[in-house]
């Protein structure tokens, strides 16, 4: 190869950035262009993490250092399949790595799921994270809300719905989201899990942090709080499961407080079977489940209806098919062998690879993406001698193509200027919000004193 290995990575979230980092750290001289449909980098970390999770958002600092490396170039606001196609990329690069993640909500598949007031978790998350494609307003008139799911996404959605808007001051919460949460009429949030407490996918830290909300009472309902033989074995062999179950047990034994602004309920062994309503959500019908002893559940044929006016479906994410690439619609992944994309005959498509959630499905934490990227990159590097030569040998030829097509792409330098502007606006708005809260608190205190 007469030139540095040139690789296009489609998707500038953690999966794509980790792949770029590993490539540029290898012994092979490599130039990487990171493309993203959004004008900004970081993907899920920017638009999929709750604003009150600065610990996770802190991953941005590590990703930022990678994107500053001279061998890596960020090109935002470029949509694969619209602004450029696979044939375009193969003309300009030795290899292409697809790391587009999973942004859609998995279909719940029950009657009423499409009613007004029934929302996919990713829709709400995009709203409170200020995603450009998300609506600017969100109806929070419902007093009783159901959240369906037993993972950290369900915890995030439930926590934000039960949170007081003022508790989010000092975070990156957008102004329109702060206003919506300030006007929220929610009093009770009900989280429904199809299986038992030992089978949930909550992580201990994310679960325990719910107990730090001063205005929210945590209520674990005893009906369905059961542990079978498989659950007991999991508690003996897995400290995370043991910690989650113990935390839930402690909450279940508490005496009710009854004087908090909002309540967050946990219901186990309840399978949603229908979202009720005609013009909007008016209830949730669930089937009572029972454990089978091996960690699975079966229906009892008994049903329970809950009075809710809104439902949030946090039952998993799903990747979207990409133009000119094979796709397994059942698993929501690109068929591959160790990250090498496979065609319909099971043969490797030369120079085409995948990593992240579109490779393995939307499972695992952000950190798991590193090992995933390492496998893909190692296989890419081992294929170097057999990669097809790109027709264009000039690294900036891709920029000329985008310019000719009138694509208003963003760059790393441009993003840094925008980021500085956003931070300055955020600091000023944060100060203004704090002044309003302090003013209202002083009015409340003075009125109390006068009384």
């Amino acid at each position: 190869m007469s030139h540095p290995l040139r690789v296009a990575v489609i998707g500038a979230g953690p999966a794509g950035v980790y792949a770029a980092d590993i490539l540029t750290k290898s012994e092979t001289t490599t130039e990487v262009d990171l493309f993203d449909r959004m004008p900004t980098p970081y993907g899920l970390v920017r638009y999929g993490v709750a604003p009150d999770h600065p610990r996770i958002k802190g991953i941005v600092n590590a990703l930022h250092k990678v994107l500053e490396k001279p061998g890596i170039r960020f090109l935002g606001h470029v949509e694969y399949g619209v602004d450029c196609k696979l044939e375009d990329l193969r003309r300009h690069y030795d290899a292409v790595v697809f790391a587009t993640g999973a942004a859609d909500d998995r279909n719940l598949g029950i009657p009423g799921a499409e009613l007004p007031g029934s929302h996919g978790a990713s829709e709400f998350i995009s709203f409170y994270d200020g995603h450009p494609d998300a609506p600017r307003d969100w109806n929070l008139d419902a007093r009783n809300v159901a959240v369906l799911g037993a993972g950290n996404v369900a915890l995030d959605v439930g926590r934000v719905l039960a949170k007081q808007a003022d508790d989010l001051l000092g975070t990156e919460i957008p102004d329109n989201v702060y206003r919506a949460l300030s006007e929220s009429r929610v009093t009770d949030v009900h989280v429904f899990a199809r299986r038992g407490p030992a089978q949930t996918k909550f992580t201990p830290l994310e679960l325990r942090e719910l107990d730090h909300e001063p205005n929210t009472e945590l209520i674990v309902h005893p009906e369905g709080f059961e542990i079978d033989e498989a659950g007991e074995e999991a508690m003996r062999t897995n400290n995370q499961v043991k910690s989650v179950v113990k935390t839930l047990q402690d909450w279940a034994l508490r005496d009710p407080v009854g004087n908090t602004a909002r309540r967050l309920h946990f219901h186990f062994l309840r399978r949603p079977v229908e979202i009720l309503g005609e013009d909007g959500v008016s209830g949730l019908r669930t089937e009572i489940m029972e454990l089978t002893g091996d960690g699975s559940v079966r229906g009892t044929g008994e049903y329970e209806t809950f009075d809710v006016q809104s439902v949030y479906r946090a039952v998993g994410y799903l990747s979207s098919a990409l133009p000119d690439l094979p796709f397994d619609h059942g698993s929501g992944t690109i068929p591959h062998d160790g990250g090498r994309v496979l065609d319909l005959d099971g043969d490797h498509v030369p120079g085409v690879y995948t990593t992240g959630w579109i490779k393995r499905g939307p499972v695992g934490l952000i950190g798991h993406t590193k090992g995933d990227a390492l496998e893909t990159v190692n296989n890419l590097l081992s294929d170097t001698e057999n990669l097809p030569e790109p027709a264009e040998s000039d690294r900036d030829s891709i920029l000329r193509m985008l310019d000719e097509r009138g694509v208003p792409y963003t760059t790393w330098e441009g993003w840094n200027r925008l980021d500085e502007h956003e931070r300055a606006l955020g600091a000023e708005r944060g100060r203004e919000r704090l002044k309003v809260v302090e003013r209202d608190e002083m009015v409340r205190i003075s009125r109390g004193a006068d009384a």
Side-chain angles (χ1 to χ4, degrees):
M1 186 175 293
S2 58
H3 59 266
L5 177 68
R6 287 205 299 277
V7 180
V9 177
I10 311 303
V17 175
Y18 289 148
D21 188 33
I22 297 168
L23 278 164
T24 53
K25 285 179 178 176
S26 71
E27 295 180 357
T28 302
T29 303
T30 308
E31 297 171 342
V32 180
D33 284 348
L34 268 164
F35 293 84
D36 203 280
R37 183 178 71 86
M38 303 303 298
T40 57
Y42 310 138
L44 178 68
V45 179
R46 179 174 172 85
Y47 291 120
V49 177
D52 58 345
H53 268 179
R55 176 181 56 84
I56 297 177
K57 283 188 176 287
I59 295 173
V60 164
N61 296 330
L63 302 181
H64 187 279
K65 291 179 181 178
V66 174
L67 287 167
E68 284 189 318
K69 296 173 69 170
I72 297 175
R73 186 167 60 180
F74 171 70
L75 297 172
H77 204 252
V78 180
E79 184 172 359
Y80 171 76
V82 176
D83 299 317
C84 62
K85 298 183 178 181
L86 182 59
E87 62 181 350
D88 298 319
L89 296 171
R90 298 180 80 177
R91 190 167 65 249
H92 293 269
Y93 298 94
D94 299 290
V96 184
V97 179
F98 288 89
T100 49
D104 297 332
D105 287 291
R106 187 173 291 277
N107 184 18
L108 183 59
I110 64 172
E114 302 307 317
L115 280 170
S118 171
H119 309 284
S122 70
E123 299 174 54
F124 185 52
I125 292 170
S126 293
F127 164 71
Y128 67 59
D129 269 334
H131 194 291
D133 294 342
R136 298 290 294 170
D137 299 310
W138 196 272
N139 187 331
L140 291 170
D141 286 345
R143 293 191 179 276
N144 298 294
V145 178
V147 178
L148 312 181
N152 285 344
V153 174
L155 291 184
D156 275 353
V157 171
R159 187 185 68 257
V160 173
L161 286 168
K163 208 177 184 85
Q164 299 291 302
D166 287 349
D167 293 337
L168 289 166
L169 289 171
T171 73
E172 296 178 358
I173 181 175
D175 283 349
N176 62 303
V177 179
Y178 176 79
R179 287 194 300 271
L181 292 177
S182 297
E183 297 167 0
S184 172
R185 300 177 65 191
V186 172
T187 59
D188 290 83
V189 179
H190 298 264
V191 178
F192 292 89
R194 187 174 63 89
R195 297 196 290 174
Q199 285 83 37
T200 63
K201 299 300 181 183
F202 306 143
T203 50
L205 184 61
E206 278 66 25
L207 183 65
R208 288 196 300 266
E209 74 174 354
L210 296 178
D211 211 17
H212 301 157
E213 304 296 337
N215 299 305
T216 303
E217 180 178 4
L218 301 171
I219 301 172
V220 177
H221 291 259
E223 304 85 6
F225 196 95
E226 300 173 11
I227 300 170
D228 60 3
E229 294 89 339
E232 291 175 353
E233 176 63 19
M235 291 173 64
R236 284 193 295 269
T237 58
N238 188 313
N239 285 332
Q240 284 213 138
V241 174
K242 181 180 179 180
S243 178
V244 165
V245 174
K246 184 180 185 309
T247 298
L248 291 167
Q249 284 175 329
D250 290 344
W251 294 348
L253 294 173
R254 286 180 181 173
D255 292 329
V257 177
N259 61 352
T260 55
R262 290 178 182 156
R263 291 163 292 279
L264 182 57
H265 305 255
F266 288 87
H267 304 269
F268 297 97
L269 295 179
R270 295 295 184 274
R271 179 177 72 91
V273 295
E274 184 178 4
I275 299 173
L276 305 174
E278 294 184 2
D279 299 325
V281 175
S282 62
L284 176 70
R285 188 167 184 250
T286 66
E287 182 177 14
I288 300 172
M289 309 298 285
E290 62 182 8
L291 294 164
T292 59
D294 60 358
S296 300
V297 293
R298 62 181 168 227
T300 65
E302 298 179 38
Y303 297 88
E304 188 175 12
T305 299
F306 293 85
D307 178 22
V308 299
Q309 300 84 48
S310 188
V311 173
Y312 291 77
R313 310 180 307 272
V315 294
Y317 289 126
L318 194 65
S319 298
S320 300
L322 297 171
D324 303 322
L325 289 177
F327 193 73
D328 184 335
H329 290 274
S331 63
T333 59
I334 295 174
H336 69 93
D337 179 13
R340 295 181 174 101
V341 173
L342 304 177
D343 62 19
L344 296 177
D345 296 322
D347 298 322
H348 177 210
V349 181
V352 184
Y353 302 82
T354 184
T355 189
W357 279 1
I358 198 164
K359 170 187 173 184
R360 71 178 190 275
V363 293
L365 303 176
I366 292 174
H368 296 151
T369 306
K370 288 185 178 180
D372 196 27
L374 182 63
E375 177 189 53
T376 294
V377 170
N378 282 342
N379 284 330
L380 187 163
L381 293 173
S382 69
D383 296 340
T384 299
E385 296 302 319
N386 299 315
L387 293 175
E389 282 279 336
E392 300 287 347
S393 58
D394 178 4
R395 189 183 187 191
D396 289 338
S397 61
I398 188 69
L399 303 184
R400 290 194 292 272
M401 185 199 81
L402 294 174
D403 287 335
E404 289 168 1
R405 295 180 179 181
V407 179
Y409 62 86
T410 57
T411 64
W412 178 242
E413 294 75 22
W415 155 245
N416 277 323
R417 289 195 295 272
L418 175 61
D419 189 39
E420 289 174 4
H421 179 65
E422 283 187 343
R423 290 176 185 274
L425 286 177
E428 180 60 31
R429 287 170 180 166
R431 285 192 292 270
E432 291 303 315
R433 288 185 197 141
L434 189 57
K435 288 177 185 176
V436 171
V437 172
E438 289 175 342
R439 181 201 66 200
D440 292 346
E441 183 67 7
M442 288 301 295
V443 169
R444 184 189 66 80
I445 292 171
S446 63
R447 285 176 178 171
D450 292 342

